[in-house]
């Protein structure tokens, strides 16, 4: 049987560099595809932080120049391996572009992000064309790699080695499109004729995600519901027309989770491994460890309600702030919030946490180990997103027996089933779902969850049920493979 060779191009991947769910996907999808017989290579930027983690990274000796506008910018290539898989990871280094404290800029994006990722995209093509064997699929992720399908299509003569490959653009979040001023078009090396409203331009600006969507052979996003939402307003964030025009090749495939990194049976970040059989003991031990970590002498006995995520508008943190303001004094729950993001949101959280010491614990920062511990310790996980392409937090919660309270949007619709007498009976219930984007709707759903929590048998049954669900990559990797195979069969449009 022919082995499908896949090149994944992305701006972050666990464990090398992470700001959010994209990294988790890139750290686990290649291995899942490899288990189905694909030969997957990943290419990411060699940020400063990738060298600070003690991972085995070696220079390849390969370097080349990449034309960026009128300059030749040098790329050096390092190699590593994706832990737990055979997949090669290439890291493209250029100190000026990537030897920086953060991936994209702190509170404010780096002003040269267009140049950094134009360089990365073109360097990825150069690297792909320098391999011994050609790739069949070039799989690009998010705006940072949106130029790759355009280069593949428009500059095909530069890389004959890649001419028979098919490109795929996967959208992990429509809210981040890589919008830059029009003069950055000069850096791409592509003809101005492509700077038009049907291709690379978006209201006078260069739009890199749109570029990827327009030029890729196949397009996907990370859940079926989000695939529908983005073809309409407001989900499409202005690109709904472009997406609708590509609906014949647009697929929605739910993300899987890395069940080796996220497994309460073996997680090194939690004090006592647990499964469906002994989750009570395991979660209690995590609770004790979390309380100690947060400076409490002992955990309190109220249900623990958590939020873990980026503190940005998308995640509905304002609802969590309002909710805690309303419920902090009722004594019904203890809250823990872990996140980092917009300073105004961080301040609002600090204020409400300050009003209810002993009831609200707030950790501002990015802490992978603590995220695992919170998932294990909590009873309930809040995911009140304004919109959510897929969401991994609720999938980790399910695996850790932490019942999610989610808003009915995007991937949350596809992954969480509301608890009702019927869904409990049919064994499908997995969380508490609310519709309206407001704190009262969230509060109602949380109160339903807390009521269920106070019924010990009901809750234990629900926890066992959700922990037994399979959110691994197995089924979703098959869907990707099917998409790749279907694209290979389609004639390549000229
Ligand atoms: P998104 O990709 O939009 O940020 P997801 O739910 O898909 O949302 O993925 C979020 C990932 O980032 C999860 O792995 C979550 O645990 C992690 N994460 C978010 N914020 C933090 C934080 N402050 N500390 C540790 N991990 C975090």
């Amino acid at each position: 049987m022919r082995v499908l060779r896949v090149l994944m191009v992305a701006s972050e991947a666990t464990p090398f560099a992470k700001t959010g769910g994209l990294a988790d996907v890139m750290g686990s999808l290649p291995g899942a595809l490899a288990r189905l017989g694909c030969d997957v290579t990943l290419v990411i930027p060699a940020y400063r932080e990738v060298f600070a983690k003690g991972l085995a990274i070696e220079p390849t000796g390969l370097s080349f120049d990449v034309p960026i506008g009128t300059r030749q910018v040098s790329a050096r290539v390092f190699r590593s391996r994706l832990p737990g898989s055979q997949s090669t990871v290439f890291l493209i280094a250029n100190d000026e572009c990537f030897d920086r404290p953060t991936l994209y800029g702190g509170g404010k994006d780096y002003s040269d992000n267009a140049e950094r990722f134009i360089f990365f995209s073109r360097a990825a093509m150069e690297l792909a064309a320098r391999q011994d064997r050609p790739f069949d699929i070039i799989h690009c992720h998010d705006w940072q790699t949106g130029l790759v399908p355009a280069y593949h299509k428009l500059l095909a003569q530069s890389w004959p080695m890649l001419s028979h490959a098919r490109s795929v653009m996967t959208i992990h979040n429509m809210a981040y499109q890589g919008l830059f001023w029009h003069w950055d078009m000069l850096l791409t090396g592509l003809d101005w004729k492509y700077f038009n409203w049907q291709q690379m331009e978006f209201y006078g600006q260069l739009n890199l995600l749109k570029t990827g969507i327009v030029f890729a052979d196949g397009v996907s996003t990370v859940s079926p519901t989000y695939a529908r939402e983005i073809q309409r307003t407001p989900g499409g964030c202005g690109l709904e027309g472009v997406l609708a025009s590509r609906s014949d090749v647009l697929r929605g495939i739910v993300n899987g989770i890395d069940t080796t990194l996220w497994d309460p049976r073996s997680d090194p970040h939690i004090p006592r491994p647990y499964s469906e059989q002994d989750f009570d003991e395991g979660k209690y031990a995590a609770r004790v460890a979390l309380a100690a970590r947060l400076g409490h002498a002992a955990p309190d006995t109220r249900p623990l309600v958590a939020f873990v995520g980026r503190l940005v508008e998308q995640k509905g943190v304002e609802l969590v702030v309002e909710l805690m303001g309303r419920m902090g004094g009722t004594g019904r729950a203890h809250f823990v919030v872990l996140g980092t993001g917009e300073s105004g949101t961080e301040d609002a959280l600090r204020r409400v946490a300050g009003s209810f010491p002993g009831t609200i614990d707030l950790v501002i920062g990015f802490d992978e180990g603590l995220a695992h511990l919170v998932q294990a310790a909590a009873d309930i996980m809040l995911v009140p997103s304004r919109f959510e392409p897929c969401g991994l937090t609720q999938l980790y919660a399910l695996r850790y027996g932490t019942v999610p309270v989610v808003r009915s949007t995007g991937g949350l619709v596809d992954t969480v089933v509301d608890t009702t007498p019927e869904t409990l009976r049919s064994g499908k219930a997995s969380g508490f779902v609310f519709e309206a984007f407001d704190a009262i709707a969230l509060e109602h759903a949380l109160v339903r969850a807390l009521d269920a929590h106070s019924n010990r048998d009901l809750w234990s049954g629900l926890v066992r049920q959700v922990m037994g669900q399979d959110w691994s990559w197995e089924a979703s990797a098959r869907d990707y493979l099917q998409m790749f195979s279907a694209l290979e069969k389609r004639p390549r449009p000229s």
Side-chain angles (χ1 to χ4, degrees), residues 117-176:
F117 289 101
I118 291 169
F119 164 74
F120 172 64
S121 297
R122 190 139 185 180
M125 293 298 289
E126 294 291 344
L127 173 64
R130 283 170 167 76
Q131 301 305 298
D132 297 339
R133 283 170 300 145
F135 289 102
D136 303 301
I137 299 290
I138 303 175
H139 190 176
C140 311
H141 299 265
D142 278 352
W143 71 261
Q144 292 88 345
T145 62
L147 270 175
V148 170
Y151 284 142
H152 179 236
K153 197 140 289 167
L154 303 178
L155 301 183
Q157 72 288 354
S158 308
W159 305 289
M161 165 95 161
L162 304 174
S163 59
H164 91 286
R166 298 289 189 273
S167 64
V168 175
M169 185 80 228
T170 293
I171 303 157
H172 295 259
N173 197 327
M174 282 308 299
Y176 303 98

Side-chain angles (χ1 to χ4, degrees), residues 226-470:
Y226 195 59
R228 286 189 295 277
E229 288 173 353
I230 62 179
Q231 295 180 63
R232 310 189 292 258
T233 50
C237 301
L239 295 187
E240 48 279 351
V242 178
L243 286 155
S245 75
R246 302 240 51 204
S247 61
D248 57 329
V249 293
L250 173 61
R251 299 272 308 258
I253 302 176
V254 170
N255 286 331
I257 61 172
D258 187 327
T259 49
T260 55
L261 290 180
W262 291 91
D263 185 359
R265 292 157 197 82
S266 58
D267 191 330
H269 301 292
I270 67 176
R272 183 191 185 285
Y274 64 91
S275 68
E276 290 98 313
Q277 270 67 50
D278 58 355
F279 68 87
D280 263 335
E281 292 87 339
K283 287 183 90 63
Y284 184 72
R287 196 79 191 260
V288 173
L290 180 64
R293 180 87 189 262
L294 298 172
H296 303 296
D300 91 22
T301 51
R302 293 173 288 176
L304 183 60
V305 179
F307 174 92
V308 178
R310 293 179 298 118
L311 303 179
V312 295
E313 206 183 303
Q314 174 196 340
K315 298 293 176 183
V317 205
E318 73 218 65
L319 303 192
V320 178
V321 170
E322 200 182 326
L323 172 84
M324 293 193 302
R326 295 166 61 86
M327 288 187 68
T330 66
R332 282 215 68 178
H334 189 113
F335 293 90
V336 57
V337 175
L338 167 63
T340 177
E342 290 157 3
S343 58
T345 311
E346 294 184 357
D347 289 343
L349 281 165
R350 280 192 194 95
R351 275 194 299 276
V352 71
S355 308
F356 300 103
T359 288
I360 302 175
D361 284 308
L362 172 64
V363 181
I364 299 286
F366 192 94
D367 186 331
E368 182 78 26
L370 188 56
H372 287 242
L373 185 59
V374 170
Q375 285 280 11
D379 299 297
I380 292 166
M381 180 63 64
L382 303 179
V383 192
S385 305
R386 196 180 278 277
F387 66 95
E388 193 58 76
C390 176
L392 292 174
T393 307
Q394 83 282 6
L395 299 183
Y396 298 143
L398 293 168
R399 189 153 172 86
Y400 281 67
T402 304
V403 177
V405 171
V406 307
R407 178 151 179 271
S408 172
T409 180
L412 300 171
V413 173
D414 299 319
T415 55
V416 180
V417 175
D418 191 40
T419 300
T420 64
E422 295 75 51
T423 58
L424 271 174
R425 253 195 313 279
S426 64
K428 295 208 170 91
S430 62
F432 294 84
V433 181
F434 66 100
E435 294 280 337
F437 185 80
D438 66 53
I440 305 211
L442 168 61
E443 184 180 342
H444 282 157
L446 176 57
V447 166
R448 282 200 293 132
L450 291 170
D451 288 345
H453 182 270
S454 61
N455 178 338
R456 230 183 125 69
D457 287 345
L458 187 156
W459 193 258
S460 296
L462 185 58
V463 169
R464 272 193 212 102
Q465 193 163 295
V466 302
M467 286 186 76
Q469 293 189 340
D470 179 6

